[in-house]
Structure formats: structure tokens, C-alpha cells
Amino acid sequence: MTLAFMAIALTANAQDQEKTTIEVPQWVKNIKFSGYGMLQYQGTDQKDAETNTFNLRLARFILDGKIGDFDWRAQIQGTNVKGPGEPTVQLVDLYAEWRKYPEFKIRAGQFKRAFTYENPTHPITQGWRGYADVINNLSGFGDRTGEKSSGGRDIGIQFSGDLFPNADGRRLFHYQIGIYNGEGVNEKDKDNRKDIIGGIWVMPIKGLRIGAFGWTGSRGAMLDPLTNETRSVEKNRYAFSAEYSQDEYMFRAEYLHSQGWGAAKAANNVRQIDYSKGDKADGWYAFGIVPVIKGKLHAKARYQCYRAQKEWGTAKTSYEAGLNYFFTKNLELHFEYARINDRALEKSDYNLVDVELDFRF
């Protein structure tokens, strides 16, 4: 009888343990939560547009995961993109990528367009008060076609890969090609035409890559002020890029060219053509970031120019210098001074000071 009671008790105990044990799937264990914030002070003495303000530049919250041979990401952004006191919260990334083979990967969802080196660069590691003006206008950030600020993203599918490994296993050639709606972040296709963007680069020595990009497509549902009807606006663009990044030294230069009418105002989801701005624009930038104290202090300098009509009379040129200080690998202080010449303004020259505290978690 005693043995029977003991058997019953052990069985009940085992059943209780079975009820309280929950097996967590591996894909749940693979989920990683991270994010970052960028706090900013900026002041300028631009005539009739002086600023002297603190700003919450950017906050992002990120979920990364892995399911079998697929990686996935979901990222939400909060920013004062419209200006201080006018925050915007939106989904910026939502995609999955099949990564079984380095020679051929497939990504689908909403993600960075396959155009230029600077576009996919992390806002903090990019190292400046913002992306270059030509990147903002011609790489799908606050695009000249009037897309709302999207950080260079669109919805579509991309194929990419790295080929020709050398004796050390370092691959010498990269390709990527994407097919997108052409409307920017969180937008369906408005004209049933797709943007096709591709890029290739070679990596002859460690840290160096030299590449070229092409983009053809359109933005639909643009109001034509001459006919008061809506139509599509062409986007035909190319870029040439070079970068060296090694041992905390980084040098990058890019030239971008665009053909296609712009909107009355860049960004903010404007959908009206402005013929007065012409149908061509271009720009370039070059910068260097070098360690003064490795792992602690970097010095930087950047030259950039953007021509909204591919004419010198519309050129906006910036000469910039600054320092980046690293308290830890996850906490940085950026300082920058810029002397800006904007020929579209009555008083073309003005100064800008920017200080940012950036952190990751």
C-alpha cells in the first residue's frame, strides 16, 4: 500500500512538473532587442532663419531575429523630422532575408534602397550632424521628388551577394539589385511602375571598395500644375563611390546625378511638380575621419556640395570640421562646425554649430 501511494505521489509530481515546464522555441531565443537615441543641440546665424535650439533628433527601437536560414528585422523610429515639437513615429524597417549562401541572398519587405554607400550607413557611425545634402535629396531621404522622409527606404525585394573569395577568404566583388514601389516608406505603388536600383563594387585590398550604382523609376500621382492632372515623374539616377575604412580610419567620396522633375518642396510627402527647379540635379561629398586617440577621440573634416538644378547658381556648399569623443563604445559625443554657402539665399554665407550626444542600448 505504501509503495502504491509513493507511486501515485511521484506520478502526480511528474505531471505537475510537465505542466510548469514550457519549451521556448529557438526562434524566440534568437530575438534580440536593441535601439539608440540621438540628442542634439544646433545653432545657426543664417539671416532671417537663425536657430538656437535643443532637439530630439532620433530614437529607434529594433527587434532582430533568426528563423532557420532567414534573418528578420522590425524597427520603429521617432524623430522631429518636421522640426522641434512636431514628432513623427513610423515603422521604418520590416523585412526578412534568406542568407544561406553569401553568394546569393534575398531580402523582402521595407528596407534601405540599394543606392550609394552612405544610404545604408548607421546614423551614429556615419559620424556627422546628418547625411550629406546630396544623399538626402537624391537617395530617398527627404527626396527632391517630395517623398516624406524615409531614411532612404522603400518597399520591395532585393537580391545581393559577395563573390570571388581570395586566399584569405575575403570576397572581392559585391552586387545588389532591388525592385521597389518607388514611393518611399510605408507607401503603396501609385502608378504600378517599379523602381529598379542596382549597384556593384570591387574590393581589391582590405578596407577599400570602389563602386557604381544606377536607378531608374518613377514617383506616381504627382500633380502637374500645367494641366491640373496627376502623372508620374521620372527618376533616372547614377552614382560613383569610393571608400576606405580600416583601423578607425574612414575616407569616403561619392558623386550623384539625377534626371527627372522635382516637387515644389523636398520631403513631407509633397505631390506637386515644380518645373522651375529644372529636371536635373547633382552633388558630391568627400570626408575623412581619423583617430587622434584610438578608441577615444576622432577628428573629422567634410566638404560637400548639392546643386538643386545642376547649375552653380543653385549650389549649396559646406565646409565642415569637428571631433567625435567616445565615452564608451555605446556612448558618443559629436561636435561639428560648418561654414555654409547657399547661393539661393540673399546672404549666402552663414555658420552652423552642432553638438550631439548619441547612445545605444
Side-chain angles (χ1 to χ4, degrees):
M1 182 66 73
T2 302
L3 290 174
F5 279 121
M6 289 178 64
I8 293 171
L10 288 171
T11 301
N13 186 50
Q15 290 175 344
D16 289 340
Q17 287 182 349
E18 287 179 4
K19 291 179 181 178
T20 57
T21 300
I22 300 174
E23 184 64 30
V24 179
Q26 186 60 43
W27 70 267
V28 175
K29 295 178 182 178
N30 289 334
I31 294 176
K32 177 185 175 184
F33 174 70
S34 63
Y36 57 93
M38 306 180 76
L39 312 177
Q40 180 184 54
Y41 166 80
Q42 191 171 98
T44 76
D45 61 356
Q46 180 182 340
K47 184 180 179 182
D48 299 325
E50 294 86 354
T51 64
N52 177 8
T53 184
F54 294 104
N55 182 36
L56 304 178
R57 178 184 165 189
L58 194 64
R60 285 187 181 162
F61 303 94
I62 308 163
L63 287 176
D64 288 302
K66 186 175 181 65
I67 305 175
D69 295 325
F70 285 83
D71 289 355
W72 61 268
R73 165 169 285 196
Q75 182 173 199
I76 295 175
Q77 171 180 287
T79 179
N80 280 345
V81 65
K82 295 181 181 178
E86 298 183 74
T88 297
V89 177
Q90 61 183 348
L91 179 69
V92 289
D93 283 316
L94 183 63
Y95 65 82
E97 184 172 45
W98 185 67
R99 300 177 59 87
K100 185 173 183 178
Y101 303 106
E103 298 85 357
F104 183 72
K105 294 173 280 190
I106 305 174
R107 178 180 293 188
Q110 181 165 279
F111 49 88
K112 289 278 192 175
R113 290 169 162 118
F115 195 67
T116 76
Y117 289 162
E118 181 144 318
N119 183 350
T121 307
H122 192 290
I124 295 178
T125 56
Q126 188 264 348
W128 295 91
R129 61 188 170 90
Y131 295 89
D133 291 335
V134 66
I135 297 296
N136 284 325
N137 283 278
L138 301 184
S139 193
F141 282 70
D143 201 89
R144 83 180 235 110
T145 59
E147 289 180 13
K148 65 181 178 181
S149 181
S150 62
R153 293 169 171 83
D154 204 344
I155 305 173
I157 186 169
Q158 174 183 287
F159 308 92
S160 67
D162 296 285
L163 307 175
F164 311 129
N166 64 9
D168 298 325
R170 184 175 59 82
R171 296 177 181 267
L172 305 178
F173 180 84
H174 174 87
Y175 72 91
Q176 56 190 39
I177 183 166
I179 305 168
Y180 309 88
N181 282 341
E183 304 295 339
V185 68
N186 301 323
E187 291 280 351
K188 293 182 178 179
D189 201 328
K190 298 294 191 296
D191 59 4
N192 295 322
R193 297 170 57 185
K194 298 294 181 282
D195 282 18
I196 300 175
I197 305 174
I200 58 172
W201 59 77
V202 295
M203 297 162 279
I205 63 173
K206 188 175 181 180
L208 175 66
R209 54 180 180 160
I210 302 169
F213 301 83
W215 179 344
T216 183
S218 64
R219 185 167 190 245
M222 296 286 284
L223 178 65
D224 188 333
L226 301 181
T227 63
N228 206 33
E229 297 177 347
T230 59
R231 71 177 185 86
S232 298
V233 169
E234 302 297 320
K235 288 182 287 184
N236 297 304
R237 298 173 179 178
Y238 61 82
F240 299 109
S241 310
E243 179 187 85
Y244 177 78
S245 179
Q246 188 73 16
D247 297 328
E248 299 184 34
Y249 288 85
M250 176 174 283
F251 303 92
R252 186 189 304 141
E254 297 194 277
Y255 172 80
L256 284 70
H257 182 277
S258 174
Q259 182 275 321
W261 300 108
K265 186 177 180 181
N268 297 325
N269 210 23
V270 173
R271 288 191 177 274
Q272 180 171 323
I273 302 170
D274 187 349
Y275 288 109
S276 69
K277 293 183 177 179
D279 75 335
K280 289 185 176 64
D282 72 348
W284 54 89
Y285 73 89
F287 74 69
I289 301 177
V290 301
V292 178
I293 303 173
K294 282 208 167 185
K296 207 69 177 175
L297 181 66
H298 291 172
K300 59 185 180 180
R302 179 171 70 174
Y303 164 73
Q304 60 166 316
C305 180
Y306 174 64
R307 302 190 299 178
Q309 297 180 38
K310 203 184 175 182
E311 297 175 356
W312 283 109
T314 65
K316 181 180 179 182
T317 306
S318 301
Y319 306 87
E320 302 160 86
L323 296 169
N324 296 337
Y325 181 78
F326 300 82
F327 297 98
T328 71
K329 67 178 183 179
N330 291 326
L331 181 64
E332 307 172 24
L333 182 66
H334 295 181
F335 169 79
E336 185 175 340
Y337 165 77
R339 178 68 173 175
I340 301 172
N341 176 272
D342 188 344
R343 299 190 185 187
L345 302 177
E346 179 183 352
K347 185 180 177 182
S348 58
D349 294 313
Y350 62 94
N351 302 293
L352 180 148
V353 174
D354 184 273
V355 182
E356 293 187 17
L357 182 65
D358 302 334
F359 60 90
R360 314 181 199 215
F361 56 86

